[in-house]
Amino acid sequence: MAEQTISITINDERKEVDASLTGTELFAENKDIIAVRLNGEPRDLYTPLHDGDVVEPITLDSEDGLAIMRHSATHVMAQAVQEIRSDAKLGIGPVIKNGFYYDFDVEKPFTPEDIEKIEAEMKKIVKEKLPLERFELDVPQALELMKDEPYKVELIEEHAGKGEKISFFKQGEFTDLCAGPHLMDVSPIKAFKI
């Protein structure tokens, strides 16, 4: 059986590539490339490619790369918070102009000691070099997965009846509802302060 190929454009050059390739394989030799801009939209390196796609590499030192790293850092912080404070319910965690934040619903406000513990846990998580693995679920499966996270359930329910798949990212034992894109693993996250 013949291999299927697709035609894509990389850096203004048209190329025929195996239809099963993703950015992970296309840019395997260049560790500075952390994601791709696919048809103008930032996407993870492992996003499937299709015939006619325009693929531009995103490096960590670019504006898009910095935003992707910061967004990945929100997931590291959320994982650390739930390790330190098991009562914490997840809100949302977007990138902002000079950093990132994450909303948490907690029974008691965070203390300065909690913040120190969270930062220490984040450093530990980054050292583990956990991969950020994307997966999708149908709405009923997504609701079951997030049944203990009321704010995530609310977000998922907004998509009920639209026939959409819901995307998640998993790092180690931590899973969060998220469209991405993200780093391939958490190791490039070098500096942060809460």
Side-chain angles (χ1 to χ4, degrees):
M1 184 172 186
E3 282 185 20
Q4 284 193 324
T5 61
I6 57 173
S7 180
I8 62 172
T9 302
I10 303 175
N11 297 328
D12 298 323
E13 183 182 333
R14 201 86 177 141
K15 290 188 175 187
E16 294 291 321
V17 299
D18 186 291
S20 66
L21 287 184
T22 66
T24 306
E25 295 89 14
L26 285 175
F27 301 109
E29 300 298 315
N30 189 337
K31 300 301 179 199
D32 292 332
I33 297 172
I34 57 139
V36 292
R37 185 171 283 283
L38 188 59
N39 303 319
E41 294 292 323
R43 296 284 185 246
D44 306 287
L45 280 176
Y46 43 82
T47 300
L49 301 175
H50 300 93
D51 194 54
D53 280 349
V54 176
V55 182
E56 302 167 70
I58 296 176
T59 58
L60 187 57
D61 62 356
S62 69
E63 188 175 326
D64 283 336
L66 180 59
I68 290 167
M69 183 198 58
R70 286 176 173 163
H71 189 83
S72 298
T74 67
H75 284 246
V76 172
M77 182 173 66
Q79 181 180 4
V81 166
Q82 287 198 323
E83 290 289 326
I84 304 305
R85 295 282 302 270
S86 61
D87 66 306
K89 299 296 180 195
L90 301 174
I92 59 170
V95 174
I96 55 176
K97 184 177 180 182
N98 292 312
F100 60 89
Y101 75 91
Y102 208 112
D103 289 325
F104 299 99
D105 186 355
V106 290
E107 293 170 12
K108 296 178 186 172
F110 291 105
T111 66
E113 293 79 20
D114 288 334
I115 301 302
E116 287 178 23
K117 288 177 185 174
I118 292 165
E119 285 184 357
E121 185 67 22
M122 287 179 71
K123 289 176 185 173
K124 181 179 152 197
I125 292 166
V126 168
K127 283 182 184 174
E128 292 175 15
K129 299 181 180 181
L130 298 172
L132 285 146
E133 302 170 285
R134 185 179 192 275
F135 65 95
E136 294 181 337
L137 297 173
D138 291 325
V139 170
Q141 296 167 310
L143 288 169
E144 177 61 25
L145 180 64
M146 292 282 114
K147 65 184 177 196
D148 296 327
E149 294 291 347
Y151 304 108
K152 300 297 181 177
V153 165
E154 193 176 301
L155 291 170
I156 294 166
E157 286 175 339
E158 289 176 11
H159 294 276
K162 297 179 182 177
E164 298 175 11
K165 294 269 190 183
I166 309 297
S167 63
F168 294 87
F169 280 84
K170 178 178 176 24
Q171 70 213 36
E173 299 300 312
F174 178 78
T175 299
D176 199 359
L177 171 72
C178 186
H182 284 289
L183 300 169
M184 295 299 289
D185 71 67
V186 299
S187 64
I189 303 168
K190 302 295 183 201
F192 46 82
K193 183 72 181 160
I194 301 176

